[in-house]
Amino acid sequence: MRAIVVRAPGGPEVLELGEAPDPVVGETDLLVRVRAAGVNRADLLQRLGRYPAPPGESPILGLEIAGEVERSGAAVAGSFAPGDRVMALLGGGGYAELARVPAAQAMRIPRGLDFAQAAAIPEAFLTSWLNLFLIGHLSAGEAVVVHAGASGVGTAALQVCRGVARVVFATASQRKHEACLSLGATHVLRREDVHLRLKDSVQQAAGGQGADLIFDLVGGAYLEANVAALARDGRLVCISTLSGSKATLDLGAVLYKRLSIVGSTLRSRNAEEKAKLVADFTARGLPRFESGELRPVLAATFPLADAAQAHRRMESDDVVGKLVLLV
Ligand SMILES: NC(=O)c1ccc[n+]([C@@H]2O[C@H](COP(=O)([O-])OP(=O)(O)OC[C@H]3O[C@@H](n4cnc5c(N)ncnc54)[C@H](OP(=O)(O)O)[C@@H]3O)[C@@H](O)[C@H]2O)c1
């Protein structure tokens, strides 16, 4: 099959359309003809040689796809049939014509969405679902902060919070504020003001209280401001360290305010954990796409052969939502 191969670790120019062996599919897997593949920051790190695929996963880049089932493994033939339109979370192997998909990580594409839109769903929405609800325990009426609200993950997180949280506070580059507001943010703050103004701005938005939950992918540079902005019993869920991983932590504030700080990665979770997450999202999240309450935010598509261009675009930070490769 054709696939994007990484000539050697390095910049986007090392990505080339080449040949790779067809995936080997097990009893509980689907063989999927990939029509679209989502681009993720993890792919950029993997291309640089800094984030190798977990053992047993394809070394080809790509953590999410949408396409058509070609063949089902014997143990899952009753669940998916050839021709079914699916989207899926992968441990690797998305930038290719064919992918091995554990059936428990596949979801039927909601009515009305094309393959490119569907490929923009799994990573962003499953990450948001996991960290806001299952780890962050977001409850009705709470005040939540979503950092980098216009990022791929952020655009999903804002929508997931809408209708649940009382205050949805987004931070982002100012040119992305309109997008954040249209996706469910009730308040916005410029990224360069987080350090000095997060606490006061959140308190103003939340009627004098701090944030109950902060969903953060910026990391080190925001830690102090996050701890200061959290309310008593507040939770900070860190999913990335885009600004770096080192910071000073005021443990006194953590004790005094009884804060919880949790880190989480999706890719490293085992098959059972991923299956549980996908099942929960399929039951409670997917119907909300058909009602129009949730929608994938697709910033741009690129032909598979132009994967390097898609990586450059992601590195530029000039994106609201997701980038997708068309296969
Ligand atoms: N742990 C997990 O399970 C998990 C799962 C999925 C993704 N992730 C991680 O989450 C992060 C976001 O992924 P994504 O696909 O949503 O990325 P993305 O769409 O590329 O968006 C990233 C955005 O973050 C903002 N940003 C970048 N560097 C920043 C900095 N130093 N300080 C403040 N803001 C900064 C920029 O938005 P503005 O212009 O608005 O500032 C940028 O556009 C990635 O690091 C990814 O690896 C983690």
Side-chain angles (χ1 to χ4, degrees):
M1 66 173 179
R2 286 186 311 163
I4 292 294
V5 292
V6 180
R7 252 189 304 115
E13 68 284 354
V14 303
L15 300 180
E16 273 176 9
L17 190 60
E19 286 291 323
D22 285 2
V24 177
V25 212
E27 286 209 313
T28 56
D29 295 329
L30 310 174
L31 180 67
V32 174
R33 181 151 297 277
V34 180
R35 300 295 184 194
V39 177
N40 287 282
R41 292 254 164 180
D43 309 342
L44 274 50
L45 289 178
Q46 190 171 334
R47 186 202 72 215
L48 287 163
R50 290 206 233 123
Y51 193 32
E57 297 291 356
S58 167
I60 296 170
L61 304 188
L63 300 179
E64 58 187 340
I65 53 126
E68 287 152 319
V69 174
E70 284 267 310
R71 183 155 44 85
S72 306
V76 292
S79 316
F80 291 97
D84 282 354
R85 297 169 79 246
V86 293
M87 55 190 184
L89 187 69
L90 305 180
Y95 291 19
E97 288 178 325
L98 293 168
R100 175 188 80 85
V101 174
Q105 289 169 218
M107 299 167 277
R108 286 176 200 287
I109 296 177
R111 260 194 312 273
L113 297 185
D114 61 24
F115 289 121
Q117 291 169 311
I121 292 177
E123 267 287 329
F125 279 91
L126 289 169
T127 299
S128 299
W129 199 262
L130 170 68
N131 292 290
L132 290 167
F133 291 136
L134 309 182
I135 294 176
H137 305 294
L138 177 64
S139 312
E142 289 194 317
V144 58
V145 173
V146 175
H147 286 306
S151 62
V153 175
T155 52
L158 292 177
Q159 296 180 68
V160 165
C161 291
R162 177 167 52 192
V164 179
R166 174 173 56 91
V167 173
V168 183
F169 195 102
T171 69
S173 295
Q174 188 163 19
R175 64 184 188 283
K176 302 178 182 175
H177 282 185
E178 273 308 313
C180 292
L181 291 165
S182 74
L183 291 165
T186 55
H187 301 78
V188 283
L189 184 68
R190 295 187 319 163
R191 143 183 181 174
E192 52 272 42
D193 291 336
V194 168
H195 219 69
L196 287 178
R197 295 193 40 209
L198 185 69
K199 178 183 171 190
D200 290 348
S201 306
V202 168
Q203 286 189 347
Q204 206 171 7
Q209 292 170 9
D212 299 296
L213 175 63
I214 298 182
F215 179 57
D216 184 31
L217 44 84
V218 174
Y222 284 4
L223 182 68
E224 268 188 88
N226 284 338
V227 167
L230 280 167
R232 191 163 289 230
D233 293 316
R235 293 94 67 201
L236 168 61
V237 183
C238 298
I239 68 149
S240 192
T241 54
L242 281 171
S243 68
S245 58
K246 299 273 166 61
T248 302
L249 175 64
D250 178 358
L251 268 177
V254 175
L255 298 182
Y256 176 69
K257 293 202 276 182
R258 303 188 302 247
L259 305 181
S260 304
I261 302 180
V262 191
S264 167
T265 58
L266 179 54
R267 191 184 196 184
S268 64
R269 287 177 189 271
N270 64 32
E272 212 173 295
E273 290 173 304
K274 287 180 185 168
K276 226 168 124 185
L277 170 62
V278 168
D280 188 54
F281 180 69
T282 299
R284 299 196 293 136
L286 281 191
R288 293 167 63 189
F289 285 90
E290 297 199 348
S291 68
E293 201 185 326
L294 298 177
R295 66 177 174 89
V297 178
L298 188 54
T301 60
F302 299 80
L304 179 64
D306 293 341
Q309 220 180 309
H311 279 210
R312 282 189 197 100
R313 175 82 185 271
M314 182 166 268
E315 284 169 350
S316 77
D317 277 353
D318 184 23
V319 182
V320 171
K322 295 280 300 181
L323 301 176
V324 166
L325 303 173
L326 301 179
V327 183

